[in-house]
Amino acid sequence: MATPATSDRTHGQSTGEPAKAAPPVCEFRPGLEGVPATQSAISFVDGKNGILEYRGMAIEELAAHSTFLETTFLLIWGCLPTHEELAEFEHDIRYHRRIKFRIRDMMKCFPDSGHPMDALQASAAALGLFYSRRALPNPAYIRQAAIRLLAKIPTMVAAFQSVRKGNDPIQPRDDLGYAANFLYMLNEKEPDPLAARVFDTCLILHAEHTINASTFSAMVTASTMTDPYAVVASAVGTLAGPLHGGANEEVIDMLEAIGSVENVEPYIDRCIAEKQKIMGFGHRVYKVKDPRATVLQSLAEQLFDKLGRDRYYDLALEVERVVSDRLGHKGIYPNVDFYSGLVYRRLGIPTDLFTPVFAIARVSGWLAHWREQLATNRIFRPTQIYTGEHHVPYESIEQRQSKASFDTF
Ligand code: SDX
């Protein structure tokens, strides 16, 4: 006869003194809400007041004055670079932008219908095949791996886009900056300077956001001391989900499904009545409008002024008005994924590349946490509250009655 579980804190423990006192046990928090998983000096979010800082600097200031590579340097190495440091960093990244022909050939074997996030995850992991695995992390190794990942991830995203259309990948152009080069590789056309600047600012806005799901995933993977390519590949897989980075694609699908401004109220009311999540809204930490959404909205307007308005923008404004009216009391407002898709659409980026573009930016944050964690690493190994049985007797196959349920979780 099986006995019910008590708790894994008592079951099976010896009565002897433990070698090291365990930290106090907290209650179970679904989704680890409010549970600190690390100490970090990289970024700061105040969800009540809509504040985001990278290394103490306001996101709005960085969006207005910095560049993505300068911000990346700030996130990873903790300070803004000098002229010389920035020039060397940018030079090294340009030098490493090309990808091995074997990686390009590997992509040619991927199905054209496969999602670009899956292609990116596989390609990021494949980098580990070419560059020394599990080297003892030292400052030079960290810098080298960071440069390779930052340089090659955009090339891999653009290469899969070419390959799935049946074309050869477009080679990176050394005379173009980070953002302009990516848009060039994607569209085979040098971008308008405003488009390049807006895209670079989008990368700044998406670069880092404390311990979100993909960064936590990166940290768990990193804590085993595996290589940084595996760290980034695991984070890419986590970012892909529709509750996280994948929401930016779903926002466009939602706007398409809504179709016209008059349909917004009935559509949103139906979602709320059916308890469906409205994509691009809500956040575990922000209970006001995400400050990145505010900046992205103004970037979208700048682009529309120059390149023409997107027909979905009026729909998006109405969705924001209706959702804020219906769910504002619960602290549900637009998050980073709500307006980013409108900017990317205007830049000619296909919808299913929105999340890979988020990944291009977030590589900075993942690498910053990887470097920070290596300084004081301890493998992640949380506990659980066991809710199963004990002492269950083994039944022979002849004795068994079917108990499996395939219709429920
Ligand atoms: C990102 O963590 C980060 O920092 C992530 C990110 C980053 O930069 O790394 O900011 C990027 O991932 C942005 C989030 C993108 N995801 C979406 O836009 C998907 C839609 N949003 C949600 O599913 C949701 O808001 C989450 C996933 C973002 C947050 O989930 P939580 O904190 O677990 O909240 P919850 O699902 O438990 O909801 C709490 C309440 C519920 O109502 P009650 O049952 O308590 O009455 O709020 C409601 C939910 O129903 N709610 C929503 C809603 N989000 C929350 N209701 C309708 N639409 C929504 N979008």
Side-chain angles (χ1 to χ4, degrees):
M1 175 82 183
T3 54
T6 48
S7 137
D8 79 346
R9 282 184 284 145
T10 52
H11 181 73
Q13 277 188 0
S14 85
T15 50
E17 283 292 301
K20 196 172 161 191
V25 178
C26 305
E27 88 272 26
F28 171 53
R29 302 263 186 103
L32 298 181
E33 180 166 2
V35 177
T38 191
Q39 295 186 315
S40 177
I42 300 169
S43 65
F44 169 80
V45 176
D46 173 346
K48 279 199 196 111
N49 296 303
I51 294 169
L52 169 60
E53 293 171 348
Y54 293 169
R55 300 282 185 186
M57 282 173 222
I59 190 68
E60 293 81 2
E61 265 203 81
L62 289 165
H65 305 297
S66 188
T67 62
F68 174 65
L69 287 186
E70 185 184 68
T71 296
T72 295
F73 190 103
L74 169 73
L75 287 168
I76 300 178
W77 286 285
C79 55
L80 287 170
T82 62
H83 255 304
E84 293 71 34
E85 285 166 340
L86 185 60
E88 193 185 354
F89 187 52
E90 287 180 346
H91 168 273
D92 290 350
I93 285 181
R94 268 171 224 263
Y95 181 78
H96 284 281
R97 277 176 182 164
R98 278 160 186 76
I99 52 174
K100 305 265 186 203
F101 81 86
R102 287 177 200 276
I103 291 196
R104 296 202 301 269
D105 286 356
M106 178 187 80
M107 284 183 188
K108 290 179 187 162
C109 301
F110 294 166
D112 301 344
S113 57
H115 196 283
M117 276 301 266
D118 296 328
L120 179 60
Q121 188 181 18
S123 311
L127 288 178
L129 294 161
F130 295 94
Y131 305 108
S132 64
R133 276 178 79 83
R134 294 177 202 151
L136 269 185
N138 58 57
Y141 174 79
I142 291 170
R143 188 176 191 282
Q144 188 63 16
I147 282 168
R148 281 209 182 97
L149 280 156
L150 288 159
K152 293 183 194 305
I153 294 269
T155 312
M156 295 196 299
V157 172
F160 182 65
Q161 174 64 5
S162 298
V163 163
R164 69 175 171 165
K165 289 196 295 187
N167 300 327
D168 278 331
I170 295 156
Q171 289 299 314
R173 267 204 18 211
D174 289 349
D175 59 322
L176 295 177
Y178 195 82
N181 174 59
F182 175 72
L183 294 175
Y184 164 75
M185 289 189 295
L186 211 55
N187 301 318
E188 209 172 357
K189 187 168 102 203
E190 213 176 301
D192 177 276
L194 175 70
R197 172 64 199 158
V198 163
F199 185 64
D200 198 65
T201 311
C202 290
L203 297 179
I204 294 174
L205 295 171
H206 286 83
E208 157 65 8
H209 210 239
T210 74
I211 310 302
N212 56 86
S214 56
T215 300
F216 187 45
S217 188
M219 290 171 64
V220 172
T221 307
S223 80
T224 69
M225 300 301 281
T226 188
D227 67 84
Y229 310 103
V231 169
V232 167
S234 68
V236 169
T238 307
L239 185 69
L243 294 186
H244 192 12
N248 56 12
E249 279 185 54
E250 308 257 342
V251 169
I252 297 298
D253 295 347
M254 175 179 76
L255 296 176
E256 252 162 32
I258 293 175
S260 69
V261 171
E262 312 73 74
N263 290 341
V264 170
E265 284 206 358
Y267 182 96
I268 297 298
D269 287 337
R270 196 173 58 249
C271 287
I272 294 170
E274 292 172 0
K275 296 199 179 308
Q276 284 177 32
K277 295 285 165 64
I278 298 146
M279 290 293 138
F281 283 83
H283 199 277
R284 175 65 64 78
V285 185
Y286 292 118
K287 299 304 160 204
V288 294
K289 186 168 175 174
D290 185 328
R292 299 167 297 175
T294 306
V295 182
L296 282 161
Q297 189 174 357
S298 93
L299 292 177
E301 284 171 1
Q302 284 175 38
L303 274 184
F304 300 156
D305 283 348
K306 176 136 192 216
L307 306 176
R309 201 171 167 95
D310 186 302
R311 69 192 173 91
Y312 287 164
Y313 188 49
D314 294 325
L315 279 184
L317 291 176
E318 180 64 357
V319 169
E320 177 175 353
R321 186 191 70 74
V322 175
V323 176
S324 307
D325 177 63
R326 308 293 199 268
L327 298 175
H329 67 281
K330 284 189 179 182
I332 293 168
Y333 290 99
N335 61 47
V336 68
D337 284 329
F338 189 61
Y339 286 108
S340 60
L342 290 176
V343 176
Y344 297 151
R345 256 171 71 90
R346 206 72 202 81
L347 293 173
I349 299 173
T351 308
D352 64 359
L353 290 193
F354 293 177
T355 320
V357 161
F358 190 157
I360 289 174
R362 188 52 62 85
V363 168
S364 295
W366 297 331
L367 290 169
H369 284 274
W370 173 59
R371 176 175 181 264
E372 184 179 67
Q373 187 176 318
L374 287 176
T376 55
N377 187 58
R378 190 170 185 210
I379 191 168
F380 274 98
R381 203 325 182 172
T383 188
Q384 64 168 13
I385 295 169
Y386 179 64
T387 59
E389 297 174 323
H390 294 295
H391 308 304
V392 179
Y394 181 84
E395 289 177 337
S396 69
I397 198 158
E398 291 76 20
Q399 291 173 306
R400 292 174 209 163
Q401 308 269 330
S402 172
K403 293 179 202 149
S405 167
F406 299 111
D407 302 327
T408 56
F409 286 109

